Amino acid sequence: MHDLLKSYKETKKALKRMQSEMKDSVDAIRVVRLEEAKRKTGREKAVCNGDENKTERQIIGEMVGDTEFVIEWLETGRRPGNKRGIERRAAYEREKLMDPVRMQTFVSRSTAGSPCNLTDWQRFQLADALSCLTDRERECYVLTHGEGFSFEDTARLLQITKSSVQTLVTRAQSKISERVTNSLFFVG
């Protein structure tokens, strides 16, 4: 990893050197052209717009930006530009109350070909966690987390608004979280 970071830093130095050399050569060419324009026109103030290496300078500038991006990523261990890394996310953004595969297995009530076969005890725990929900909360929670429907599809199926589904699922998640932390059935 350190070797990779070192090689990117060396590449950045080389690109910066090329960029400054191109800028110096363009400035020198401009001065020469400006002197020629002054001599030909006889004016003290002449304008010179020629820049043949503009695309090359632009490409090198983009390469410098890309190497700086990679260097920052390698040094910090997270994507540049993100305000918060995943380790700094709020609990509700990273916490999963139940394993989605287990929830889907519980809802489908099948054991054949399932990547996660539930024991009777696990089924009992899930049923206990869902028992604290109202009928509407359970419907929304099971459709979104168990069946894998989106909030929009769930709202269409239940003939309610999408924001109602979001509210019901959030409420269900908080009730399930409370149940999981306070229930004796989830110990061990």
Side-chain angles (χ1 to χ4, degrees):
M1 182 74 147
H2 295 290
D3 295 335
L4 183 64
L5 184 61
K6 183 180 176 184
S7 66
Y8 268 104
K9 286 183 177 182
E10 290 171 3
T11 303
K12 180 183 166 190
K13 284 180 187 176
L15 287 170
K16 287 278 196 182
R17 198 174 320 113
M18 286 175 58
Q19 197 175 30
S20 67
E21 288 172 2
M22 285 187 106
K23 187 176 186 290
D24 292 343
S25 68
V26 167
D27 290 343
I29 290 171
R30 252 195 202 132
V31 167
V32 169
R33 285 188 179 165
L34 190 60
E35 292 297 322
E36 287 177 14
K38 283 181 185 176
R39 195 173 26 109
K40 286 181 181 177
T41 60
R43 296 182 185 165
E44 187 62 32
K45 294 184 179 180
V47 178
C48 179
N49 297 346
D51 190 4
E52 295 84 23
N53 299 333
K54 184 177 182 179
T55 56
E56 290 178 21
R57 287 189 306 129
Q58 188 175 11
I59 290 171
I60 290 176
E62 290 172 0
M63 291 168 68
V64 168
D66 290 344
T67 53
E68 288 173 348
F69 182 84
V70 172
I71 289 170
E72 184 179 345
W73 197 328
L74 290 173
E75 286 177 341
T76 62
R78 67 174 71 145
R79 184 176 183 185
N82 284 353
K83 293 183 180 177
R84 288 180 147 183
I86 192 66
E87 72 279 358
R88 296 264 325 203
R89 297 265 167 90
Y92 66 89
E93 291 177 323
R94 68 174 183 259
E95 182 177 297
K96 299 292 181 212
L97 297 173
M98 292 186 203
D99 184 16
V101 176
R102 282 191 175 170
M103 185 65 190
Q104 290 169 5
T105 304
F106 176 75
V107 170
S108 67
R109 291 184 171 86
S110 66
T111 57
S114 174
C116 179
N117 292 323
L118 297 177
T119 64
D120 291 334
W121 178 247
Q122 289 170 331
R123 283 188 187 282
F124 178 74
Q125 286 177 321
L126 286 171
D128 179 58
L130 294 175
S131 69
C132 67
L133 305 177
T134 64
D135 291 337
R136 192 56 115 174
E137 290 170 346
R138 189 179 306 110
E139 285 176 332
C140 290
Y141 190 80
V142 167
L143 284 173
T144 55
H145 291 289
E147 299 290 341
F149 287 108
S150 66
F151 288 154
E152 194 173 315
D153 294 337
T154 303
R156 199 175 316 115
L157 284 170
L158 298 177
Q159 297 178 347
I160 56 177
T161 63
K162 181 181 169 185
S163 62
S164 296
V165 172
Q166 289 173 328
T167 303
L168 289 167
V169 168
T170 303
R171 196 177 302 152
Q173 286 176 333
S174 65
K175 284 183 179 180
I176 289 172
S177 177
E178 181 72 26
R179 182 70 167 215
V180 167
T181 56
N182 294 330
S183 178
L184 293 175
F185 294 118
F186 286 95
V187 177

